[in-house]
Amino acid sequence: MKHTTRIALFAAALTVSASPMAGAANARPMTPEDVARIEALGAMAVSPDGARIAFTTGSRPDVTQGEEDGGYRGELKVATGPDAARAYLPEDISPGQVAFSPDGSMVTFLWAKGGDDTAIWGVPVAGGAYRKLAAVPGTGVRAYEIAPDGSAIYMLAGPDEDKQRTAQREAGFDAKVYEEEFRPARLFAARFGGSIDEDPREIALPGFVSGFDVSPDGKRALIETAPTPLVDDSYTKKRVNIIDLESGDVTAVVETPGKIGDVEWAGDGAQLSLIAGVDMNDPAATTLHLVDAASGEYRALNAGAAEAAVDAEWLEDGRLAAIIHVGAQSVMRLYDADGSLAAEYDPKSLILTRVEAAGGTVAVAANSPIHPSELFVFDPSRSWSDETGNFRRWTTHNPWLSEITFGTQRTYTYTASDGQEVEGVLIEPVGGTPKGGAPTIMNIHGGPEAHESNGWQTAYSKPGQIAAGQGYAVFLPNYRGSTGYGVAFAKQHQGNYTDPEFRDIVDAKRALVADGITDGTRTGITGGSYGGYASGWGATYYSDEFAASVMFVGISNQVSKFGTVDIPYEMYNVHSRAWPWDDWTAMLEVSPVYHVDKANTPILIMHGEEDTRVNPGQSLELYRSLKVRKPDVPTRLVFYPGEGHGNQGAAARYDYSLRMMRWFDTYLKTGDRRAPLPDPRPTLAEGAGGAKIEE
């Protein structure tokens, strides 16, 4: 969140060739089973005196070892230095938001005990039992802030009960009125300390509030509010307001025209930092602003720069620390209170993603090509290593990664067919690229208002180092529409579905073939959401280019998508810039279903059954069109019950990873587009559910 010479950003490609143990006898490639057990840094908070950092370690049950399936779980720990952290809660408590009390004596967190509503709990730093600190009767707490003087705790809680509707539902009248019957969240102030305040005071709020932060003097709060709780409004109409915490009156409105991201109070309460879009057509909140807290007036600090601000935090000395992504790399930038640049620091091989600060300690979350997100502490006075610069590592969540042999990873830049320079992240096969090129997976990010960084690139739906260990190259292009290269670059895809954005992917393939990295006859494509759209387009319109495709929660029909998507105005503002009825044919022509006649690419289509962003019908439409029109093209559709726009359950994630890699092994590695369909059952590791059953 959170006269100067710019510390050099990498001008050449960063290369991480292997782990420290790459040459050791126990070195081995990464597997889907490894990905299933990965732990990473979750929430983090710095104590008021800067001496401790509370954080959560995030993981999921290791279903490969027979653990019961489940979703995300966090473990609360407190660190006092590098590799000096200890757990503070029983393993069955998975805390939410984490913060220190103003005096630093307690770590507070959100938790729902048993079947109870979510409440605020605390555990003494010095040791002792955890206890409930505050709650809102009859509903759960969604977020909280403790007043700087420790006198009160402010809680954003769910809506009050509509008793009439409750009675009707209990009598069987349980019809759901779509996109109506909204009830807003509520803000409460409770006494903090001693016994629980059973009668907290409600503070009036304007609109539907999704987040808030109390000012340093404890008298005001910034709130993020929208006209409705619809996802579309959260993208297109959410604004920052300043309210008086005593009366609830709005004292200032920040009238930004587009999306908003991180917002933070300066230490003196006179201004805010705000990451926001520059206009209603800006695809993402990536521009850093300073806001006058009294008037709401704002000004941009990095408007037009070929970069993206991702998080910011005010420091005790009055400066602002900002995490900036410049293409596929990152820097930490310090601004003086007037917005002038004070310093910039290069984290070397790290990709910084979040920042928190207090008591003179600046903590960051960072990943690298050889480890997922870990806790680091920034120290401008010294360089800790050639790999991390001024950032000292405090946690090591996955020590077993030292056993893994990693494929060489670096940034790779090419020139598209119309002259545009495009960057991406390239992972080469473990052991190097063979003569004639390697089978290559083009891994396409979603959004498209997102970007790939030269950091950790392996996950359940991202083949990354799993594929590299099996002889594949993987390329992750930051095609036009991506963030990290400035607003103008991100807008290049608007009103031009598929071209130039997906042409950039084909141009990447051709550049990689020309450089001897990729086997042009064995190139595949995968991605989720907008990357799923690209994968469907690659299997139809660009079928001659791709030997296999794995499409996840993707778009197949831009006409029918409009009627089922939960972000119609956001889609219009920052993507299509046209409604389907403006030109029905044009919208259909940028749909994979329209080009099924060209399809010759084996495609595995996967989707969560409860997806409200991209309706599962999008996958069904493409599947049905292919099965009827192209019955000889290997096609499979997999639905995940209970999953939405991306899998959350541990078993569903592991299953996805296995299916993805088996599909590529069957069709891409062999180059045989007519190989028989693989077994529909996943091949689970020994110890995973059903793995030992004999038939």
Side-chain angles (χ1 to χ4, degrees), residues 540-574:
T540 54
Y541 183 87
Y542 279 132
S543 187
D544 289 346
E545 302 284 351
F546 298 105
S549 174
V550 176
M551 173 182 174
F552 188 37
V553 294
I555 301 156
S556 72
N557 187 336
Q558 289 286 5
V559 174
S560 61
K561 182 196 77 170
F562 171 78
T564 57
V565 76
D566 60 357
I567 50 171
Y569 284 99
E570 194 267 354
M571 182 182 73
Y572 174 86
N573 287 344
V574 307

Side-chain angles (χ1 to χ4, degrees), residues 265-281:
W265 283 101
D268 62 3
Q271 59 181 342
L272 315 172
S273 64
L274 171 64
I275 299 175
V278 297
D279 57 48
M280 68 181 295
N281 303 122

Side-chain angles (χ1 to χ4, degrees), residues 186-207:
R186 298 170 294 162
L187 184 64
F188 291 88
R191 183 183 65 256
F192 183 65
S195 60
I196 296 176
D197 186 345
E198 302 290 351
D199 188 25
R201 173 176 64 91
E202 184 172 355
I203 301 169
L205 292 175

Side-chain angles (χ1 to χ4, degrees), residues 218-343:
K219 296 179 180 179
R220 296 165 294 163
L222 64 84
I223 60 170
E224 299 174 25
T225 182
T228 77
L230 293 174
V231 176
D232 213 16
D233 277 355
S234 73
Y235 283 138
T236 63
K237 297 179 181 179
K238 184 191 289 186
R239 300 293 178 262
V240 173
N241 289 191
I242 309 295
I243 65 168
D244 182 286
L245 283 173
E246 184 62 34
S247 65
D249 293 341
V250 175
T251 62
V253 177
V254 187
E255 297 282 4
T256 46
K259 296 180 179 179
I260 63 172
D262 178 65
V263 55
E264 305 285 341
W265 283 101
D268 62 3
Q271 59 181 342
L272 315 172
S273 64
L274 171 64
I275 299 175
V278 297
D279 57 48
M280 68 181 295
N281 303 122
D282 191 343
T286 59
T287 299
L288 182 62
H289 298 77
L290 292 182
V291 181
D292 180 80
S295 66
E297 295 180 358
Y298 59 92
R299 60 187 177 92
L301 298 185
N302 63 335
E307 61 190 35
V310 299
D311 201 15
E313 179 85 352
W314 291 92
L315 309 182
E316 282 199 339
D317 62 9
R319 294 186 297 175
L320 178 67
I323 303 299
I324 307 293
H325 285 194
V326 185
Q329 304 298 157
S330 70
V331 297
M332 174 179 278
R333 192 174 293 161
L334 300 184
Y335 291 93
D336 287 327
D338 63 1
S340 59
L341 181 62

